[in-house]
Amino acid sequence: MKKGALIFLLLSPTLLMAQSNKEVTVDFLESFADAFNAHDITAIMSYMTEDCIFEASAGPDFNGEKFAGEKQVKEAFEQVFATFPDAHWGNARHFISGNRGFTEWIFTGTKSDGSKVEVTGCDLFTFKDGKIAIKNSYRKNRLPK
């Protein structure tokens, strides 16, 4: 056997693993959700691309509010935790198809004024290079009782 072929055969499992690490899995999305529930902003941002986009479910525009780039996205996530110190996304269900995915969840949280929120929602994701490039959030708008 030629030396080059032998080296390729020895390295091919490593090369295949490197390629598969670029694919987003359900476990990846579950870990991302865990980071949100832990309010671990450093961990959350490690799942996002440098040029990431977060489209919030509320805001002044027809599609909510758009935050672009690591700095803006990080600040937007920090604001969510400041608004809802006990924010939690429960009963998560994750789905992936190619470079797209979504997660359904039930959001619960309490604002500083004591008002409680409990709504269903989802995140639509676009993946790039094994990370989240776009996180587009939607949630129900539940009227106060």
Side-chain angles (χ1 to χ4, degrees), residues 19-70:
Q19 288 176 341
S20 67
N21 287 341
K22 297 265 183 184
E23 292 180 24
V24 174
T25 65
V26 167
D27 288 339
F28 174 93
L29 289 180
E30 185 65 30
S31 294
F32 182 65
D34 290 344
F36 259 91
N37 284 327
H39 298 199
D40 185 342
I41 198 71
T42 301
I44 291 167
M45 295 309 297
S46 74
Y47 290 87
M48 310 287 292
T49 62
E50 287 183 21
D51 60 346
C52 59
I53 293 172
F54 168 50
E55 294 180 355
S57 57
D61 300 321
F62 75 95
N63 62 344
E65 187 168 359
K66 183 177 179 178
F67 303 90
E70 283 181 314

Side-chain angles (χ1 to χ4, degrees), residues 45 54 66-78:
M45 295 309 297
F54 168 50
K66 183 177 179 178
F67 303 90
E70 283 181 314
K71 183 178 185 297
Q72 283 188 6
V73 170
K74 179 182 177 194
E75 289 171 356
F77 293 159
E78 288 171 335

Side-chain angles (χ1 to χ4, degrees), residues 79-144:
Q79 186 58 48
V80 170
F81 300 136
T83 303
F84 296 98
D86 61 347
H88 181 79
W89 292 263
N91 296 4
R93 296 183 339 177
H94 312 287
F95 305 88
I96 297 172
S97 179
N99 73 335
R100 300 297 308 270
F102 70 94
T103 296
E104 296 175 315
W105 35 257
I106 298 172
F107 174 79
T108 56
T110 309
K111 291 184 178 181
S112 59
D113 67 2
S115 61
K116 296 191 179 291
V117 174
E118 181 182 33
V119 293
T120 58
C122 67
D123 288 322
L124 305 181
F125 299 107
T126 302
F127 309 119
K128 181 174 81 174
D129 298 328
K131 291 191 171 194
I132 297 167
I134 301 172
K135 178 184 185 296
N136 191 352
S137 267
Y138 294 87
R139 69 178 194 178
K140 300 289 185 177
N141 185 20
R142 191 172 183 185
L143 300 175

